[in-house]
Amino acid sequence: MTVLWKTKFALTPNAAPFAIRAEQASDVVAREALLDACFGENRSLRTCQRLRDGRAPAEGLAFSAMAEGYLVGTLRLWHVSAGGIPALMLGPLAVEASSRKLGVGTALMDHALAAATARGHRAVILLGDEPYYARFGFSAERTAALSLPGPFERDRLLGLELHAGALDGACGMIVATGAVANVVRRAARARAA
């Protein structure tokens, strides 16, 4: 399903609307280039990437923002266990530089959180700037007893309960629990053959 967003934040009268749709296989090259542009080519070394390596995003929770046929934003959610409590890890959220003031990031966040809620997920965790993510309800309050498999800044580990009490008692390591990506499965089968 594609949702059109006509943002109120357009900088010029000629600013094109953008559409948010499910990520497609044809988005991979553009998504990877966008992520490199936003986070640098060493982004694969970041702590949260360890939770994504070899995993597929949660079903139905990988989105692309498109404008005039070009990828201008991306957001994915991943299955994790937050100290034994099922949750989603959000990230990365990336928006192409010239589209950042058009509301693309906000629209991706709103769309992804609504989709996660509709699919019955109860909590979302991310590593990011609280001043930006607080507007969506994220805070460090529910993640104080959680940790990540590598270095991270404590005040940037944020959580959002989609259902009240979903992160009650969450403590310990956040670990990946999602499906193994098809590429990893194919490589494992090839090695076994």
Side-chain angles (χ1 to χ4, degrees):
M1 178 174 94
T2 300
V3 178
L4 288 177
W5 293 86
K6 291 187 180 179
T7 180
K8 299 175 191 169
F9 306 103
L11 298 176
T12 69
N14 297 327
F18 55 90
I20 295 177
R21 63 164 167 74
E23 183 179 280
Q24 298 175 1
S26 59
D27 296 338
V28 171
V29 171
R31 183 192 70 232
E32 293 303 307
L34 175 60
L35 293 173
D36 284 345
C38 290
F39 300 109
E41 292 183 19
N42 68 346
R43 65 185 168 83
S44 63
L45 303 175
R46 294 176 179 232
T47 296
C48 284
Q49 185 60 41
R50 294 178 188 170
L51 298 172
R52 298 187 287 261
D53 283 342
R55 303 285 175 168
E59 186 175 337
L61 297 175
F63 303 103
S64 296
M66 307 296 294
E68 297 181 4
Y70 294 97
L71 182 87
V72 296
T74 181
L75 185 150
R76 298 166 122 198
L77 292 146
W78 310 79
H79 289 285
V80 295
S81 169
I85 295 173
L88 294 170
M89 177 67 86
L90 188 147
L93 165 63
V95 176
E96 189 269 328
S98 67
S99 300
R100 290 194 182 136
K101 299 290 184 190
L102 302 177
V104 174
T106 297
L108 279 165
M109 286 294 296
D110 289 342
H111 188 81
L113 294 174
T117 301
R119 289 181 167 269
H121 295 285
R122 300 177 50 81
V124 180
I125 296 168
L126 62 81
L127 196 59
D129 296 326
E130 190 166 17
Y132 179 83
Y133 291 104
R135 71 177 109 170
F136 305 104
F138 285 88
S139 76
E141 182 180 321
R142 294 294 192 176
T143 58
L146 292 168
S147 59
L148 290 168
F152 70 100
E153 297 170 56
R154 166 74 40 212
D155 62 330
R156 292 175 46 83
L157 185 58
L158 310 174
L160 169 68
E161 292 180 326
L162 300 174
H163 294 278
L167 291 173
D168 284 354
C171 66
M173 186 67 66
I174 298 170
V175 296
T177 59
V180 175
N182 286 335
V183 174
V184 174
R185 278 192 220 124
R186 284 193 294 262
R189 282 192 291 250
R191 283 193 302 271

